[in-house]
Amino acid sequence: MPNHLGDASSPYLLQHAADPVDWYPWGTEAFDQARRLDLPVLVSVGYASCHWCHVMALESFSDPEVAEVINRYFVAIKVDREEMPEVDSSLMQATLALTGSGGWPNTVFCTTDAQPFFAGSYFPPVARGGQPGFTDVLTALGQAWQERRGEVVEQAATITSQLAASSVALTAGGPAAGTPMPPAQDLLDAVSADYDIVNGGFGGPTKFPNATLIDALLVKGDPTSLDIAQNTCEHLVRGGIFDQVGGGFHRYSTDSQWIIPHFEKMLCDNALLLGTMARCWRRTADHDADRRELYSHAVRRTIGWLEREMTTDEGLFAASLDADSDDLAGHSSEGAYYLWSPDLLVDALGRQEADWLRPLLHIDAAGNFEEGLSTLQMRGRLHWERINEDLDALLELRQVRPAPARDDKVITAWNAMAIDSLVEAGMILREWGWVERAVGLAEGLWAAHWRGGQLLRTSLHGIVGAPAVAEDHAHLGLALAGLAGATGQQIWLERAVTVLEAAVERFSAADGSFLDAEPSELLPAPSHQLTDDACPSVTATMVKALRRVALMAERPDLMERADRASSALEPVVAAAPRYGGWALADHLVRDEARRGLKPATVVVVEEAAAPGELAAAAWRMAPSGTALLRGRQGTEGFGGWFAERGDAAGPTAYVCRGTVCFEPVTDYLELKDPLWRRV
């Protein structure tokens, strides 16, 4: 039976277009069909690089016998969580409420009115390991719909009512709304209580990199918070979670020591970590050269990976790489592309060089993974020129291996994260080519995803995909403003204002925060998440973007809107600072403002296209929350920031904090004082 996914713009949905399951994409057509046939709805949510999604697809969705049971009892819907994050978030709320845990694939059973009544994650085809078999679940639920309809509908109504009530409470600010915020130091102490002092990072044994929390720890620069951030970044770069050969970070670590990752690689994770590593570099003293070199190494190899392996034919960045790939025997297995043994090192480098490199990469005959294979870790003091030559040789050999599949879907928010991080890394590390790459990326993204005055979330090989959600507006506004500041090109600031004003109009919630997407009658509860997930919350990102644009464009109305949204995040920061990194960072910046260090606007006037020493110093030394601008004398489109400000004595920096503007500076060695002077 042909299904309805053949015209999808999602590679994940296209992977299921040949399934014997009669899949529909998410939308009214599927629910209309369910009402016509009087069948409940099975919704399966996943994404292209999801390992267990592949397993369930192979075991169940490609099996004609399982498909026959699905098609008999249900109307089936496939959802790409990356294409429709609001659907994923809403249905995940139902799964968490019903089971207490979540994950992907997310398997949710709904009434014809889209009300969930049963949910789970991965189901094996037959019962094993304490889990019921998928066909047994399907049959039991299908028969319950036919024979005990009233019970099913009543349960679904109860669940939906509870989800709606939770959403209303959240929108109202929750039970903690209005309570005093703890002192900043108490919040930092709460974060450090979960810190792994030995291995870096937080919690465990499963660990995520948590880029936004590291960003928050870099705000104040106090010794304890700074050490936590630097130590965590060092362990990330040295660990097996970082692809030492090709660059880029894997999704998360399955152990507390960052040795064995879950091997999928996501653009969103790497785009965020790219900026975090650059910010950690700038917060590290010159005399700590070893750590600085580690962070720079991570930035450079990650950018190399993005250009080499993630660039689509359209010049944009693809969404992800699978965790799985074929090994040399042709069997698909997780991590096969990234693993090494002593013998494989010898094959690539020769005996003498392999013997030198092996202890630095922590490889032995036993291996740390399976069948004597190992992930690579960086250990000890590193001779960077030599080790990079060896890693390049390993990369050349690895490229003949079967590569993991790539999800070529282009996501606006994730490409925008990459633009913002490329700009920041390029300015901090004085690699103007990275900023120029960000310009090209922004031009391509705008051309592909801004259609008729509306923003798209996704496209596939130039084919229009899903409409944008709030995350796309927030990250694009943030990135375009940063690009405007680095290049002095007003068009990027104008576009940043356009997308952020649209977001304020479409996604504002009653409490001042932002909904993840506009409400839909098909969703059991609005998607409105104020804590961070793998990416920062929409509201925290909007706060950051609105503040940047407000300073650069001299728009106090946008600053006031950011203040309202930031206040809505206070209960999250107070209750769980570890799970609201950028929200915590904004609170810490505001705490500094109350102490006289209000966010500043820095204008560097210089004629050269590429930034000089003064601009580099501004990007390296400015406190968090600073709006940074550079451009030629007379540059227009940035409020009045360039008015009557010149560079008669050469490149000149002007620093204004609130209503106070300090004396202009032409020597980068003298710039630190006005950047950090309290008023």
Side-chain angles (χ1 to χ4, degrees), residues 9 83 449 456-460 463-467:
S9 58
E83 187 176 48
H449 284 198
L456 297 175
R457 176 166 178 79
T458 64
S459 64
L460 181 64
I463 299 172
V464 170

Side-chain angles (χ1 to χ4, degrees), residues 72 206 255 258 301 392 424 443 476 478 536 580 635:
R72 183 195 319 159
T206 299
D255 61 275
W258 309 103
R301 288 226 161 235
D392 289 342
E424 192 145 12
E443 289 172 343
L476 187 59
L478 180 69
T635 293

Side-chain angles (χ1 to χ4, degrees), residues 146-166:
Q146 294 174 354
E147 300 168 6
R148 302 191 305 280
R149 177 79 57 89
E151 296 176 24
V152 173
V153 172
E154 183 180 358
Q155 177 170 326
T158 300
I159 293 166
T160 303
S161 177
Q162 291 173 345
L163 291 173
S166 298

